Amino acid sequence: MRQAVENSNLISLAAGFVDSESLPSGEVSAALDELLATPQSAQAALQYGTTQGYAPLREKLLARVTALDGLSSRDMAVSPDDVVVTTGSQQLLYLVSELLLDPGDYVLTEAPSYFVYQAALASLGVRTLSVPIDRDGMNTDALEERLGQLERAGELDRLRLIYVCDYFQNPSGLSLSLGRRHRLLELVKRFSRERRIFILEDAAYRELCYDGPDLPSIKSLDRENAYVILGLSFSKSFAPGLKTGYGLLPRELVAPFLRLKGNDDFGSNNLTQHLLDRVLASGAYDRQVAALRQVYAAKRDLLLGALAREFSDWPDVRWTRPTGGLYVWVTFSSDFDTGPQGPMMPAAVKEGVLYVPGQFCYVGDPNSPVPTNEARLSFGIVKPDQIEEAVRRLARAARAHDHEADSAAAKSQPILM
Ligand SMILES: Cc1ncc(COP(=O)(O)O)c(C=O)c1O
């Protein structure tokens, strides 16, 4: 961030920010004008709201979530009383974790995983275990093995939560396959013994889907509304500045969650909730999501096209081809070092491009190795006409890495006489 501020020529493929030019200023301005036009609606929006969130908004959110899965609220055993509105989905992640976890408890996450949540877990004194992902998302065979290990060690009751970002994951861009969604839920049911293990399903990117099949949420498979906490957000699909997220919780968690949230803020920004209620009712939200899908699909294609061109003579370099979300995950050859101590990072800064070193997305699970040859690229905030140049710079930085690695190797060669 500091580098980007100090060097205006720098192109950032690092920040998880959204496309600035397509932010819905017209829609927000129209909804706000409407809201403030009559004393009645203005007063309702400018007064304190409830801790749980504006009831008409919660109804619309529930209708939206169930419609995404092609189900009714009765099918999913949920009602608007199970919906909580939060200050971004980050608050939901944090409060759920604070609610369920004691210091020393375990959380299982994907490796790699969303690093801001990892930091939140660390602040709660929780131990994180990780399960590797592949092209179908979290490897559920490896998960089963992990659960078995915990059981054999007599520590299963310290595991309360499995966190998955199952749509176009931050950082890899990959999604959890349908088969694994079923398997994950089945494993959680099977291993919930004295205490229930919850799945924290982070679907922050769900609505940013471009051309892949839309997968049902894990929540929609949990027909008793017992095991899955679903988190969603308006940040990526509308405007992060509104900082509004929401969750669909198993009934037993709602009251304790609201007690915690009440202590924290007794309700998220009420004006924003009234505004989003109007934006959903008028169809402006749907129009915005449809427009964003086009914007991001085009940017993703530019990024993938540029990678294919610039790295065509690098057979060892691979990258994901996400069908939604904002991220592409690049894997260099195993001897490559994308980290802050390696030669590529300073070379990239010198060339004027930023990426997130992949190692930042791995948690300190002592049993899992941390690869240092990966990078997260985001096509969120970068301007379309800068994408090609950004990848050209990245390729130059990668070549500088190779050059430096070669000369280091040459220097360390024994002198043959
Ligand atoms: C996977 C994931 N979850 C949650 C969040 C939190 O977003 P917000 O609090 O703005 O809803 C982010 C933000 O980047 C994210 O990438």
Side-chain angles (χ1 to χ4, degrees):
M1 286 296 199
R2 186 172 54 78
Q3 306 267 17
V5 169
E6 285 171 4
N7 179 359
S8 59
N9 184 37
L10 206 65
I11 308 175
S12 180
L13 297 174
F17 284 22
V18 301
D19 188 73
S20 296
E21 275 152 33
S22 48
L23 282 167
S25 51
E27 289 77 1
V28 169
S29 161
L32 203 53
D33 283 351
E34 254 178 62
L35 207 51
L36 301 179
T38 71
Q40 206 189 5
S41 58
Q43 285 162 17
L46 293 171
Q47 188 52 270
Y48 276 124
T50 61
T51 304
Q52 185 155 11
Y54 184 43
L57 175 62
R58 284 190 285 110
E59 278 166 30
K60 289 183 186 67
L61 296 176
L62 184 71
R64 201 168 176 84
V65 169
T66 53
L68 281 173
D69 283 318
L71 295 172
S72 69
S73 47
R74 185 198 289 251
D75 292 332
M76 285 172 66
V78 288
S79 84
D81 292 341
D82 306 316
V83 178
V84 295
V85 180
T86 53
T87 304
S89 55
Q90 189 67 31
Q91 187 189 43
L92 180 88
L93 301 183
Y94 187 79
L95 291 181
V96 160
S97 308
E98 193 180 344
L99 177 65
L100 293 176
L101 301 164
D102 291 322
D105 279 351
Y106 287 114
V107 174
L108 267 162
T109 69
E110 298 143 311
S113 179
Y114 168 47
F115 49 83
V116 182
Y117 181 54
Q118 302 305 333
L121 289 175
S123 78
L124 291 169
V126 169
R127 290 179 286 178
T128 308
L129 299 173
S130 55
V131 175
I133 60 166
D134 57 31
R135 57 188 304 172
D136 289 328
M138 182 185 265
N139 182 328
T140 40
D141 287 340
L143 172 65
E144 184 170 10
E145 221 173 285
R146 268 298 182 155
L147 292 169
Q149 281 165 0
L150 283 175
E151 184 168 47
R152 286 190 293 280
E155 295 210 281
L156 198 54
D157 63 339
R158 300 300 310 258
L159 174 70
R160 298 302 324 272
L161 208 54
I162 299 180
Y163 169 73
V164 276
C165 180
D166 57 339
Y167 292 92
F168 323 118
Q169 192 220 27
N170 178 4
S172 69
L174 297 164
S175 297
L176 190 68
S177 69
L178 180 59
R180 288 191 178 174
R181 283 166 193 261
H182 282 282
R183 181 96 191 281
L184 175 55
L185 185 61
E186 181 263 311
L187 286 172
V188 157
K189 286 184 180 173
R190 173 145 56 94
F191 281 89
S192 285
R193 302 272 157 74
E194 275 137 54
R195 293 168 94 196
R196 189 169 300 182
I197 302 169
F198 291 96
I199 297 171
L200 179 51
E201 179 180 21
D202 182 346
Y205 295 88
R206 176 169 190 183
E207 293 195 79
L208 291 187
C209 59
Y210 315 136
D211 31 37
D214 188 28
L215 292 157
S217 63
I218 309 170
K219 177 94 221 158
S220 72
L221 310 176
D222 174 27
R223 292 296 175 94
E224 307 142 67
N225 187 25
Y227 292 93
V228 182
I229 300 151
L230 174 65
L232 286 139
S233 176
F234 283 98
S235 289
K236 312 297 173 180
S237 55
F238 197 69
L242 299 177
K243 204 65 195 153
T244 305
Y246 54 103
L248 191 49
L249 308 186
R251 182 70 49 89
E252 67 179 289
L253 297 186
V254 175
F257 179 91
L258 291 178
R259 272 198 295 280
L260 262 192
K261 181 166 164 64
N263 293 340
D264 195 39
D265 63 7
F266 53 94
S268 294
N269 184 315
N270 195 30
L271 174 66
T272 307
Q273 294 184 55
H274 282 250
L275 192 150
L276 284 168
D277 184 57
R278 282 186 184 246
V279 158
L280 283 168
S282 70
Y285 178 75
D286 283 324
R287 288 193 293 279
Q288 176 65 9
V289 171
L292 284 183
R293 285 180 178 156
Q294 307 233 332
V295 167
Y296 287 127
K299 287 170 87 170
R300 177 212 46 193
D301 290 346
L302 284 171
L303 182 58
L304 293 179
L307 285 168
R309 270 190 302 282
E310 295 300 325
F311 288 95
S312 58
D313 51 351
W314 294 65
D316 289 347
V317 183
R318 289 168 292 125
W319 52 88
T320 56
R321 289 167 182 74
T323 57
L326 300 180
Y327 308 104
V328 170
W329 187 247
V330 183
T331 307
F332 292 89
S333 57
S334 56
D335 54 344
F336 224 84
D337 188 353
T338 56
Q341 311 305 331
M344 181 161 168
M345 190 85 202
V349 173
K350 201 159 138 227
E351 290 291 344
V353 65
L354 288 182
Y355 61 88
V356 174
Q359 68 191 66
F360 292 176
C361 306
Y362 289 84
V363 290
D365 180 340
N367 304 306
S368 303
V370 175
T372 54
N373 60 329
E374 298 166 325
R376 188 194 79 174
L377 307 182
S378 170
F379 48 91
I381 196 174
V382 62
K383 293 192 170 58
D385 60 3
Q386 291 187 313
I387 291 178
E388 220 174 306
E389 175 58 19
V391 177
R392 230 176 273 134
R393 293 177 185 185
L394 194 72
R396 281 203 296 268
R399 273 193 286 276
H401 173 292
D402 255 16
H403 181 70
E404 202 164 302
D406 283 351
S407 46
K411 273 188 213 136
S412 66
Q413 288 293 323
I415 301 167
L416 300 174
M417 313 227 356

